[in-house]
C-alpha cells in the first residue's frame, strides 16, 4: 500500500471561536474513523510558535532554513490501496476542517 500526505497550511483554516471546537471534534472523528479502518499512520499540526532550525551533516544548528520551506498547518499520513481512496479520505478531512486539503504521495521505499 502507498502512504499519502494530506495537509493544509494554517492560514487555510479560517474559523470563528465558536466554530473551532465543532471543527476540532469533527476532525478528530475523521481521524478516529481512519484509525478504526486501519489506514492511519500519523498526524498532527506543526508547532508554529517554535522556530525551525537547520541541522547540518556535522551537527551544527542554524536558524537559517532553506528558502521557501515554511511548513505550517496540519497534516495526516494515511496508508491506502489506491489514489482514489486517498482522494476520498482527503475529502472527508476537507469537510471536517472546513478547508481544502493538499494530497501528496510518498515514493515507495522498501526499507520504510
Amino acid at each position: 500500500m502507498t502512504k499519502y500526505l494530506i495537509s493544509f497550511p494554517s492560514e487555510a483554516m479560517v474559523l470563528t471561536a465558536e466554530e473551532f471546537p465543532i471543527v476540532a471534534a469533527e476532525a478528530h472523528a475523521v481521524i478516529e474513523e481512519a484509525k478504526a479502518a486501519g489506514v492511519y499512520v500519523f498526524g498532527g499540526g506543526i508547532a508554529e510558535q517554535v522556530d525551525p532550525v537547520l541541522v547540518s551533516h556535522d551537527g551544527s544548528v542554524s536558524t537559517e532554513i532553506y528558502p521557501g520551506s515554511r511548513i505550517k498547518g496540519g497534516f495526516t499520513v494515511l496508508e491506502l490501496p489506491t489514489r482514489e481512496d486517498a482522494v476520498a479520505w482527503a475529502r472527508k478531512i476537507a469537510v471536517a476542517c472546513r478547508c481544502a486539503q493538499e494530497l501528496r504521495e510518498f515514493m515507495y521505499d522498501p526499507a520504510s
Side-chain angles (χ1 to χ4, degrees):
M1 288 208 291
T2 303
K3 291 180 181 72
Y4 293 89
L5 174 67
I6 301 170
S7 64
F8 63 92
S10 55
E11 57 270 7
M13 187 182 275
V14 181
L15 304 171
T16 65
E18 295 80 24
E19 292 171 314
F20 189 80
I22 297 164
V23 170
E26 290 180 17
H28 289 134
V30 173
I31 295 305
E32 290 304 317
E33 181 183 351
K35 288 178 181 179
V39 299
Y40 181 81
V41 176
F42 183 79
I46 301 297
E48 295 178 30
Q49 68 278 14
V50 179
D51 291 331
V53 295
L54 186 67
V55 180
S56 297
H57 67 283
D58 63 1
S60 61
V61 178
S62 170
T63 58
E64 294 182 30
I65 61 172
Y66 289 113
S69 69
R70 301 279 177 209
I71 299 172
K72 305 186 299 185
F75 63 92
T76 304
V77 177
L78 302 179
E79 190 167 37
L80 300 160
T82 68
R83 186 167 183 86
E84 290 77 21
D85 290 322
V87 168
W89 279 101
R91 181 187 177 281
K92 288 180 184 189
I93 295 171
V95 169
C97 292
R98 313 292 197 278
C99 63
Q101 302 291 304
E102 296 177 346
L103 177 64
R104 292 179 173 81
E105 186 173 316
F106 283 94
M107 293 186 304
Y108 176 71
D109 179 357
S112 66

